[in-house]
Amino acid sequence: MTGLLEGKNVLVTGAANPRSIAWAVALAIKKHGGSVALTYQAERLRRRVQSLADELGEAPLIECDVSSDQAVRRAIDELAELMPVLDGMVHSIAWAPAEDLQGSFAQTSRAGFAQANDISSYSLIATAREARRLMTRGGGIVTMTYAGSWRVVPNYNVMGPAKASLESAVRYLAADLGPDGIRVNAVSAGPIATVAARTIKDFSGMLELLESHTPLRRNVTSEEVADATVFLLSDLSRAITGEVVHVDAGAHATI
Ligand code: NAD
Ligand code: 0WE
């Protein structure tokens, strides 16, 4: 494979299982010559993510619950012992209470809104702040977003404003970290049947509709999202920052 990421160290957050977008990203980084460290949310996921880390070959594996500033700081301190310099960070984390992902949007709870924004948007700021300490030769930060940020998608509900907030944070972080040679971008992926997504009502109906209506007449895969992420982490995208790249078979332009 190409050595697009040869010599680069990348921290990948959000791998929970082999279907996670973050896992496809980790594999793609390795394929292009990069070294990966993984973080996982909580002890209950450790064994599963350990076997993913083993598959990568001795990838550093660190617990990091992004709802705590202290936990994020400690995770990066721990990473610094194993990977003193970081060239990239991938943020692939989102969460909202299940009851706020259905029904009337006006019924969104104050607590659900706060949690969705905390875990799905503020966590990019917290992880970027800490990762920056190790990104001493510049680098790339990439987060995962969805078009429900700017258009109404039935049931995406509270996650819509959370993703809008995330995409705005991408631009503010790009402006703030740019002078240090750190670029910040997002990949806006089309729907993919990951474990989190499959629990959503009529997710398969949505995939079927897209199959006949996107410009490319198909859905996208995690591998395709991962390839775009590799591009955004690599020097090929060295003049791109504050951008949201749609990897959605063209859906954003037509549907
Ligand atoms: P996933 O469930 O595999 O990944 C979500 C991850 O978030 C999990 O690893 C989970 O452990 C982590 N997480 C949740 N709360 C956390 C916390 N407090 N601390 C640390 N980690 C926490 O699902 P996925 O589909 O791979 O989602 C990854 C990203 O891709 C999300 O940002 C999602 O919004 C985005 N995305 C997904 C799709 C899709 O259709 N699957 C489309 C566009 C964007
Ligand atoms: O960002 C997402 C989903 C993230 C997500 C998923 C869950 C399921 C389990 C956040 N929080 C939770 N909370 C849970 O309890 N996507 C882009 C995938 C997704 O979710 C949808 C979609 C798409 C696409 C929900 C409704 C409609 C479309």
Side-chain angles (χ1 to χ4, degrees):
M1 258 305 138
T2 67
L4 267 182
L5 299 179
E6 205 64 57
K8 292 195 195 289
N9 296 327
V10 184
L11 175 63
V12 177
T13 67
N17 56 66
R19 282 179 176 264
S20 295
I21 293 173
W23 175 240
V25 170
L27 286 176
I29 291 167
K30 191 178 172 203
K31 180 166 121 185
H32 290 278
S35 300
V36 176
L38 296 176
T39 68
Y40 60 97
Q41 179 185 355
E43 176 59 28
R44 77 185 147 79
L45 296 176
R46 189 179 55 78
R47 274 189 46 186
R48 209 162 0 150
V49 185
Q50 178 70 62
S51 64
L52 297 178
D54 291 346
E55 226 179 287
L56 288 173
E58 312 249 310
L61 179 64
I62 295 164
E63 183 169 322
C64 180
D65 181 337
V66 297
S67 65
S68 154
D69 286 335
Q70 206 188 20
V72 175
R73 184 160 15 89
R74 277 199 305 252
I76 297 295
D77 286 344
E78 200 180 317
L79 178 66
E81 305 283 315
L82 306 156
M83 251 184 199
V85 178
L86 208 52
D87 303 286
M89 197 264 292
V90 177
H91 173 275
S92 186
I93 291 172
W95 189 81
E99 62 270 24
D100 286 316
L101 287 173
Q102 57 189 324
S104 165
F105 177 70
Q107 297 300 328
T108 300
S109 67
R110 194 177 289 271
F113 185 92
Q115 282 175 311
N117 275 275
D118 186 22
I119 305 302
S120 314
S121 175
Y122 182 76
S123 65
L124 176 69
I125 302 170
T127 52
R129 176 173 62 239
E130 298 303 327
R132 175 192 203 178
R133 293 192 277 127
L134 307 189
M135 296 179 78
T136 48
R137 50 188 183 213
I141 295 177
V142 181
T143 187
M144 299 300 157
T145 188
Y146 176 60
S149 64
W150 57 276
R151 65 190 309 165
V152 174
V153 175
N155 299 318
Y156 201 58
N157 290 13
V158 71
M159 279 303 301
K163 289 299 195 189
S165 161
L166 176 72
E167 290 171 23
S168 181
V170 163
R171 293 183 283 270
Y172 277 87
L173 285 168
D176 195 24
L177 306 185
D180 291 345
I182 301 173
R183 299 179 296 104
V184 187
N185 293 291
V187 171
S188 185
I192 297 170
T194 58
V195 172
R198 277 186 305 179
T199 64
I200 276 119
K201 204 169 127 244
D202 204 30
F203 195 78
S204 54
M206 190 169 152
L207 292 178
E208 269 172 45
L209 180 86
L210 290 166
E211 215 166 276
S212 50
H213 286 80
T214 59
L216 296 181
R217 298 289 189 273
R218 65 177 182 83
N219 284 291
V220 302
T221 64
S222 290
E223 288 70 29
E224 292 167 334
V225 171
D227 283 351
T229 304
V230 166
F231 164 70
L232 290 172
L233 291 169
S234 81
D235 296 341
L236 287 181
S237 62
R238 62 195 173 276
I240 301 177
T241 194
E243 183 63 289
V244 179
V245 179
H246 287 85
V247 179
D248 66 350
H252 69 283
T254 58
I255 297 194

